[in-house]
């Protein structure tokens, strides 16, 4: 994470109002173009194309390969219930034969269903509209099977013991109305899944390595069995230690282009395919970009015990993004009548401080500025704080900042929508300077920063659950006014943010789906 800096420094001669004023989603392709060196980017022509409303979207069926469906073994919840939080098993011990199956269940399997929630199902990590566009394919070095979390199965040819996992996001699982932002949502969720999977592997004693997308990504997608590779992001590959050295053929026919009729997706795929991580030193970065690296810890080294989640099973169960009653949308945060303990922010900072597991992602996270709007937390001045090296540095005392954030949120309080940002004790923003990001990493920096922010936000979600709070990842803030509230420079853009609030006791039934 970048060091604290004074607000409004390093201004650039650029104005990116976008076709819809300061809508942050509409501004994204302009920021990307600015990062590549265009000082006066124009909105792409597809910006004004008519799109169906998001609620009319029907996600495509899963890319189910031919072959039997093998059930994942039950008992994961019992094992996680026997693991006290925040203890992590010491590495190096022998793993059980079904450890990978339990790690996959811990990462991906549905936890609960909330009949009053407009969006179901709910897994251990947050996903936009509960669409879960990132899929996991599990391989044994020869064949690949699709993980189907809702069915608790691996589907496909069942041969040897699984030793590798490929993670790829399906852009067409997200409504067309999101246009360019489909690429960002897939990249952000990939970062969340990387942390969730890292945690699952760690809890079940499975050391592994992580390989970023390479130029052989389209060939790997064909190997996974997906028919239309342009629907998918280039895969990340997680390999258990015994799979090291098992290469793959990166040759194959040229990838087919996106069919006509979805020009924004054509741009999304073009950007994704331009971002394979290059050789050592590419983009002026001294780290090795495309080589495997160990999957490091997802958990801070020191954490206080949680009064709310005594086991890892309870921690994952209590993670949520803010519930509303009676089928209403949004989130509501109860006002803190008494300050929350100092531990609330300390725990959040500890989870935010864990770097992503690959040097390329860790280097990209160093370019991310983390800003927190704090109130009602014991021992911390209400106002704007910069986060660096696990410490919150007060930038400006401002008790009105949370109300200013709520006033500039895209989904305000209405009869059918809750919005508790003004009461939230903590709202965190992750921002980058695209020009500097591209100068250091080249095009790979754009998605690397999104992956890294997704990794960090999932950690923040777990920190909130440990403190009995909710954490809602959001991108609906109006960027120009919000940057004024939190003191970002004109050449900075917000990658992701998260609202941490106190849940109200107004929810209905919650159905337990754990196995």
């Amino acid at each position: 994470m970048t060091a604290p800096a004074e607000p409004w420094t390093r201004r650039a001669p650029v104005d990116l109002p976008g076709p819809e004023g300061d809508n942050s989603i509409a501004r994204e392709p302009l920021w990307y173009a600015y990062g590549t060196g265009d000082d006066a980017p124009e909105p792409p022509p597809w910006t004004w194309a008519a799109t169906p409303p998001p609620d009319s979207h029907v996600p495509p069926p899963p890319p189910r390969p031919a072959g039997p469906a093998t059930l994942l073994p039950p008992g994961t919840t019992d094992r996680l219930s026997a693991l006290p939080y925040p203890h992590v098993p010491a590495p190096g011990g022998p793993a059980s034969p079904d450890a990978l199956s339990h790690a996959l269940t811990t990462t991906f399997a549905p936890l609960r269903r909330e009949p009053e929630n407009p969006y179901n199902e709910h897994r251990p990590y947050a996903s936009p509209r509960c669409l879960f566009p990132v899929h996991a394919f599990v391989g044994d070095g020869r064949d690949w099977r699709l993980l189907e979390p809702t069915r608790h199965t691996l589907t496909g040819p069942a041969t040897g013991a699984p030793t590798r996992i490929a993670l790829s996001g399906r852009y067409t699982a997200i409504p067309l109305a999101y246009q360019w932002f489909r690429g960002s949502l897939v990249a952000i969720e990939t970062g969340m899944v990387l942390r969730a999977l890292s945690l699952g592997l760690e809890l079940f004693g499975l050391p592994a390595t992580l390989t970023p997308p390479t130029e052989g990504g389209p060939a790997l997608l064909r190997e996974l069995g997906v028919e239309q590779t342009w629907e998918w992001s280039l895969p990340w590959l997680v390999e258990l230690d015994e799979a090291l050295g098992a290469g793959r053929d990166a040759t194959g026919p040229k990838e087919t282009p996106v069919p006509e009729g979805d020009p924004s997706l054509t741009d999304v795929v073009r950007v994704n395919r331009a971002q394979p991580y290059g050789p050592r030193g590419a983009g002026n970065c001294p780290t090795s970009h495309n080589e495997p690296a160990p999957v490091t810890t997802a958990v801070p080294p020191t954490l206080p015990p949680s009064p709310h989640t005594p086991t890892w099973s309870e921690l994952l169960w209590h993670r949520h993004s803010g519930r509303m009653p009676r089928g209403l949308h949004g989130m509501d945060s109860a006002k803190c009548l008494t300050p929350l303990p100092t531990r609330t922010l300390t725990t959040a900072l500890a989870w935010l401080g864990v770097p992503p597991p690959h040097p390329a992602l860790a280097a990209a996270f160093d370019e991310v500025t983390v800003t927190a709007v704090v109130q009602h937390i014991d021992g911390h001045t209400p106002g704007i704080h910069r986060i660096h090296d696990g410490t919150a540095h007060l930038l400006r005392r401002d008790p009105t900042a949370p109300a200013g954030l709520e006033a500039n949120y895209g989904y305000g309080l209405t009869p059918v929508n809750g919005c508790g940002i003004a009461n939230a004790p903590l709202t965190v923003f992750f921002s980058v300077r695209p020009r500097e990001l591209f100068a250091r990493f080249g095009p790979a920096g754009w998605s690397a920063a999104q992956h890294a922010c997704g990794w960090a936000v999932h950690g923040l979600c777990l920190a909130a659950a440990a403190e009995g709070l909710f954490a809602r990842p959001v991108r609906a803030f109006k960027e120009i006014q919000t940057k004024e509230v939190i003191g970002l420079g004109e050449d900075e853009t917000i990658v992701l943010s998260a609202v941490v609030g106190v849940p109200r006791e107004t929810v209905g039934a919650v159905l337990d789906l754990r196995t």
Side-chain angles (χ1 to χ4, degrees), residues 14-15 113 138 158:
V14 60
D15 182 20
R113 186 169 184 85
V138 181

Side-chain angles (χ1 to χ4, degrees), residues 28-403:
E28 275 218 338
L30 304 180
W31 278 117
Y32 182 87
Y34 173 69
T36 64
D38 187 348
D39 285 330
E42 292 290 334
W46 47 256
T47 299
W48 296 274
T51 58
D55 291 341
S56 67
H57 174 72
V58 178
R64 189 168 292 149
T70 305
L71 285 173
L72 296 174
T76 302
T77 298
D78 291 340
R79 298 194 183 199
L80 292 174
S81 296
L83 288 175
Y85 171 85
H87 172 73
V88 176
S96 64
D98 55 1
L100 180 58
S101 295
H102 290 302
L104 292 172
T105 299
T106 299
T107 304
F108 295 100
L111 294 175
R112 63 185 180 274
R113 186 169 184 85
E114 302 166 5
E116 291 188 351
N117 197 321
Y119 300 113
N120 275 295
E121 76 235 13
H122 297 282
R123 300 190 195 177
Y125 57 90
S127 176
R129 292 178 169 271
C130 287
L131 291 170
F132 301 103
V134 177
H135 292 250
F137 299 83
V138 181
D140 58 10
R142 175 180 176 181
D143 297 307
W144 290 93
R145 290 180 282 176
L146 173 69
L147 174 65
E148 298 193 73
T150 57
R151 302 173 74 197
H152 291 273
T153 63
L154 292 173
T155 304
T159 53
T163 57
R164 53 181 57 188
I165 304 159
L167 301 174
S168 177
R170 195 176 194 177
Y171 300 121
T172 52
I174 303 171
L176 177 61
Y178 282 82
Q179 294 186 320
W180 167 282
F181 198 50
R182 287 174 287 179
S184 299
L185 290 177
V186 162
I188 289 168
E189 183 165 314
T190 299
M192 295 178 176
V193 170
L194 283 172
R195 189 159 201 175
L197 179 58
S198 296
L199 176 62
L201 295 172
E202 190 171 4
L203 292 178
F204 285 92
L206 292 171
T209 60
L210 178 65
T211 303
T214 67
E215 292 183 354
L220 178 56
L221 288 172
R222 286 187 291 270
E223 185 182 315
L224 298 178
V226 301
E227 295 182 358
Q228 301 171 144
T229 58
W230 50 264
E231 287 187 278
W232 299 83
S233 65
L234 296 180
W236 285 78
L237 191 63
V238 177
E239 298 177 287
L240 303 188
D241 275 3
E242 58 263 33
L244 279 176
R248 61 178 184 270
D249 184 6
T251 63
K254 186 177 180 180
E255 187 173 26
T256 56
V258 179
E260 294 183 5
D262 194 348
S264 62
L265 184 57
T266 299
D267 270 3
V268 166
V269 174
R270 174 183 57 81
V271 169
N272 178 258
R273 298 315 192 249
Q275 296 183 25
Y277 292 77
R280 184 183 302 273
N284 299 320
C285 179
T287 60
S288 178
H289 278 169
N290 63 350
E291 297 176 6
V295 175
T296 50
T297 180
V299 183
T302 57
L303 284 170
S306 167
H308 305 278
T309 59
T311 68
W312 283 102
S313 178
E314 289 298 301
L315 180 81
L316 298 176
W317 167 261
H318 283 287
R319 185 216 63 79
H320 68 94
S321 297
R323 303 185 180 105
M324 291 291 294
R326 304 186 309 281
L328 300 178
H329 292 259
M331 78 288 193
D332 196 7
S333 178
K335 188 172 183 178
C336 298
L337 299 179
T338 58
L340 297 175
T342 303
R343 185 189 65 240
T344 303
L345 187 56
T346 302
T347 300
L349 295 179
W351 281 93
L352 288 173
V354 178
H358 195 277
L361 296 183
F365 196 48
D366 285 341
E367 297 296 315
V368 175
T369 296
V370 183
T371 305
V373 178
V374 177
Q375 66 173 346
H376 307 313
I377 297 180
D378 194 26
H380 294 279
T381 303
I384 317 301
H385 299 252
R386 289 280 195 265
I387 309 303
H388 182 63
D389 288 341
T391 303
H393 302 266
L394 181 64
L395 187 66
R396 185 178 77 250
R397 175 183 173 85
D398 186 358
T400 70

